[in-house]
Amino acid sequence: MTGVLIGAVAVPFGAFLLLGLVSWADLPLGERTVSAVTVLSAATSAGLLGVVATAGPVEVPLGTWFEGFPLVLVADGLSLPVGVLSGLLGALIGAFSRRYLHRDPGYRRFHLLLALFVAGVQLVVLAGTLDLLVVGWELTGLASALLIAFFHQRRGPVAHGLRAFVTYRLCDVGLVGAAVVVHHGGPPLAVGLLLLWGAMGKAAQFPLGGWLPRAMEGPTPSSAICYGAISVSLGPYLLLRTAPEWSAAPAVPVLVAVVGGLTALHATLVGRAQTDIKTALAFASTTQVGLVLVEIGLGWELLALVHLLGHAALRSAQVLRSPSLLHDHHHLEQALGEPVGGGAGRWERFTPRPARLWLYRFALERGYLDAVVVDRVTGGLVRLVRRCAEADEPLVRRLAVTR
């Protein structure tokens, strides 16, 4: 089973390299062929993992990167179901995109990035050490950020892709730091806190989830697999995979559950005020991932895994269905001659009007988190850099005169 498990990671990487070589050489390759390469590679990866599942848990050492940095692939009851689902969803998205992006100038680029994303995800899922997991984690983050900025002719997608990438990079410090602490035999509390920080960025958890609704600027197929299904699931998966490293510290499970609970409450409230279907689905996805973190913090790991897999499949289908759902909704409104909408919900009827107005504004402003990030954090950092530059300028002038 060694070669089969390695093939599950190598096949999507091979598809990425093939499409990259074709693009670099500017070879003529039809849309059907490009789509077939992506679909077959993802489906093959899922099939190979299915074969491995028949043999039970498998661990494959790949040698060492540096001394003390072993490279290991692990296929067990946690990685196999996530890996199979990731491959199947990658194949589904590749097939769906053949018509969705028909004649788009970036058709080949989309499938290139999709192949890289699937390869990175499979490496994250099957990695047996944090060192190898970091490689797949970074490839996945790069691919998803580039998919957000896919329509680079417009300023919005590029800005939103950059925001997601910056959030990833800030939180990836936690993952890399956790790998270093583990190598030096650090305490479980430090490992857990660093891993939680790393998972929060990828999973769009409170208060770092402002990038997720903006990520919907990318094509609908990539939104389905990245931000409805797989990419946001990698944060909880990381915590499930590394649970033995941090579960001995009592404070870490509590913090995991608190972060997940706050995220679920915030995203549920904010999502109710959204009028854009993809944004509403983004907050719904954040809510469910937050609940998965609560389950992980409570020690319900099997429930968390089942919840994660079910949510990924359902949310991916909902995002793919969203454009045609809007079309059907408009036809229904035209047939009825009036807007179609639900009445006041149960909680709205029992909430006083002043409180409803305040909650609505709070939800419409997305909890004021964006304002805090832009005005306080980012704005404060920009002002600090400018002041340092102003203080440094006289010194530079004196040095220039001295020379």
Side-chain angles (χ1 to χ4, degrees):
M1 288 295 171
T2 299
V4 177
L5 186 58
I6 294 175
V9 179
V11 170
F13 267 116
F16 165 71
L17 294 175
L18 176 61
L19 293 177
L21 180 61
V22 168
S23 300
W24 176 75
D26 198 20
L27 299 176
L29 201 63
E31 289 185 356
R32 285 180 176 272
T33 306
V34 171
S35 176
V37 170
T38 306
V39 172
L40 288 175
S41 64
T44 301
S45 179
L48 292 175
L49 290 179
V51 172
V52 174
T54 62
V58 177
E59 182 173 313
V60 177
L62 303 177
T64 56
W65 189 1
F66 300 104
E67 186 177 354
F69 289 80
L71 302 179
V72 181
L73 295 179
V74 173
D76 54 17
L78 177 60
S79 61
L80 285 172
V82 178
V84 170
L85 180 63
S86 300
L88 292 177
L89 286 179
L92 172 65
I93 297 303
F96 183 88
S97 304
R98 186 172 70 84
R99 292 190 176 182
Y100 188 88
L101 292 170
H102 176 53
R103 293 188 177 180
D104 190 285
Y107 186 93
R108 187 181 296 179
R109 174 164 50 91
F110 175 86
H111 285 82
L112 173 74
L113 293 174
L114 179 60
L116 177 62
F117 178 80
V118 173
V121 168
Q122 297 295 45
L123 189 57
V124 169
V125 170
L126 297 173
T129 62
L130 279 177
D131 312 311
L132 188 57
L133 188 146
V134 168
V135 178
W137 192 270
E138 297 301 326
L139 291 176
T140 303
L142 175 63
S144 59
L146 290 175
L147 284 169
I148 297 172
F150 181 78
F151 300 113
H152 57 82
Q153 300 86 354
R154 294 186 282 118
R155 186 174 182 177
V158 175
H160 298 157
L162 181 61
R163 175 165 180 168
F165 187 72
V166 169
T167 304
Y168 287 163
R169 300 305 297 157
L170 288 174
C171 293
D172 290 352
V173 173
L175 179 58
V176 176
V180 173
V181 172
V182 168
H183 276 289
H184 287 81
L189 178 61
V191 175
L193 292 177
L194 289 169
L195 288 173
L196 176 59
W197 176 252
M200 286 170 61
K202 193 78 80 179
Q205 296 297 285
F206 182 88
L208 304 173
W211 65 269
L212 184 60
R214 292 172 172 82
M216 296 299 178
E217 283 274 10
T220 295
S222 62
S223 299
I225 191 170
C226 294
Y227 317 113
I230 301 302
S231 187
V232 293
S233 300
L234 292 182
Y237 178 84
L238 172 67
L239 294 176
L240 286 171
R241 171 56 69 192
T242 58
E245 301 287 346
W246 52 262
S247 57
V252 178
V254 175
L255 287 174
V256 171
V258 168
V259 168
L262 288 175
T263 302
L265 290 173
H266 174 265
T268 298
L269 180 61
V270 174
R272 293 177 68 85
Q274 304 305 311
T275 57
D276 172 23
I277 186 170
K278 290 180 72 175
T279 302
L281 287 173
F283 281 107
S285 182
T286 307
T287 300
Q288 295 302 314
V289 174
L291 292 177
V292 172
L293 257 67
V294 172
E295 294 161 359
I296 294 173
L298 294 175
W300 301 340
E301 296 181 3
L302 180 58
L303 176 61
L305 177 60
V306 174
H307 189 171
L308 201 64
L309 295 173
H311 168 258
L314 174 63
R315 195 70 68 204
S316 182
Q318 286 181 326
V319 176
L320 290 178
R321 164 73 171 138
S322 59
S324 56
L325 177 64
L326 287 177
H327 182 268
D328 296 343
H329 192 80
H330 291 157
H331 275 282
L332 180 60
E333 288 185 339
Q334 291 174 2
L336 295 175
E338 61 182 11
V340 178
R346 182 182 307 168
W347 295 109
E348 285 84 346
R349 290 196 297 268
F350 292 102
T351 306
R353 179 177 171 77
R356 287 204 309 267
L357 293 176
W358 185 87
L359 287 172
Y360 178 74
R361 182 172 181 179
F362 179 86
L364 203 60
E365 294 289 340
R366 299 182 180 179
Y368 304 101
L369 286 181
D370 289 345
V372 170
V373 170
V374 173
D375 297 338
R376 302 297 180 185
V377 180
T378 307
L381 181 60
V382 170
R383 288 191 291 271
L384 177 62
V385 171
R386 286 177 178 172
R387 287 174 184 171
C388 292
E390 291 171 358
D392 187 55
E393 191 172 345
L395 177 60
V396 172
R397 286 203 203 97
R398 284 197 295 269
L399 291 174
V401 171
T402 304
R403 289 182 180 179

